[in-house]
Amino acid sequence: MINAKIDFRYSEHNQFYFLSGDDNASIGIKELVAWINNDVGRDLPSVDFITGNIKNNIETKLHYSMTGNAHTCTICNGIILINCEFVDEWVVLITFEQIMYLLEQYRSFISNKNYYDKNKILPDPIDIEFVSEGMQAVIDFQNNQASIG
C-alpha cells in the first residue's frame, strides 16, 4: 500500500481551489488528481454520480469499465484501475474502500468550496492510500483478474 497526501492549490485566474498533483507528486497521486479534476468535476451532482456508478458496479458486475473526459476506470473483482488515456505511465490501482474515502473527502470539500474560495482559506490535504501505481498497478490488476478464474 502507498500512503500519500493530495494538496489543494488556489488559481488566481479562476478564483477557486483545485486538487493539485505537483511535479514532486507520485504517479498515483498525479493520476487521481487528474481523474478528479478532469472527469469527476467540481459540483455535487457529478461527485454523487461517479460515486453511485462505482458503488453500483462494484456490487453488481464482475467487470465494468467507464470512460470520462481523459481517464478510464475499470472495476474488476473489487478493485479499480484508473488510467489516463494520454499519459501511459499515469495508472493507479485502488480498492473500493480507498476510492470511496477519497470521493467522500472530495465531496466534503465541494460542499464547502464557496467558503474556501471566497475566503481564500486553504483546505486541508486529503490523506489517501492506494494499492499501487504505474506499470506495477497494471501488473497487480492483471494478477487480480487472473485470480477470478
Side-chain angles (χ1 to χ4, degrees):
M1 294 292 171
I2 298 170
N3 294 300
K5 290 186 184 295
I6 298 176
D7 295 313
F8 290 88
R9 185 177 297 163
Y10 189 77
S11 169
E12 288 292 339
H13 175 75
N14 294 315
Q15 300 292 300
F16 63 72
Y17 281 98
F18 61 97
L19 293 177
S20 173
D22 65 21
D23 292 339
N24 296 325
S26 73
I27 290 169
I29 291 298
K30 288 179 181 178
E31 177 53 18
L32 288 169
V33 166
W35 173 66
I36 289 175
N37 287 336
N38 295 326
D39 289 4
V40 176
R42 282 189 50 85
D43 60 22
L44 288 175
S46 294
V47 176
D48 292 343
F49 175 78
I50 296 293
T51 301
N53 204 355
I54 291 171
K55 280 182 182 177
N56 182 49
N57 287 297
I58 204 121
E59 294 170 358
T60 61
K61 295 185 175 142
L62 189 58
H63 188 267
Y64 177 78
S65 288
M66 59 183 160
T67 301
N69 293 323
H71 308 269
T72 299
C73 290
T74 305
I75 300 169
C76 183
N77 202 21
I79 60 170
I80 300 110
L81 184 77
I82 304 173
N83 66 287
C84 179
E85 297 163 12
F86 301 104
V87 184
D88 291 340
E89 297 82 27
W90 286 18
V91 183
V92 65
L93 186 65
I94 191 166
T95 68
F96 174 72
E97 292 78 14
Q98 291 165 338
I99 202 166
M100 286 298 109
Y101 176 80
L102 174 59
L103 289 169
E104 183 181 297
Q105 296 303 305
Y106 185 65
R107 187 181 197 291
S108 176
F109 161 71
I110 292 298
S111 297
N112 296 297
K113 70 181 179 182
N114 290 335
Y115 168 76
Y116 295 118
D117 294 344
K118 287 180 185 173
N119 297 302
K120 293 187 180 179
I121 295 174
L122 181 65
D124 290 333
I126 298 173
D127 291 316
I128 185 67
E129 182 179 72
F130 51 91
V131 177
S132 55
E133 60 188 1
M135 285 310 299
Q136 187 61 50
V138 174
I139 292 166
D140 292 345
F141 187 75
Q142 289 172 335
N143 290 339
N144 183 64
Q145 285 183 306
S147 72
I148 296 171

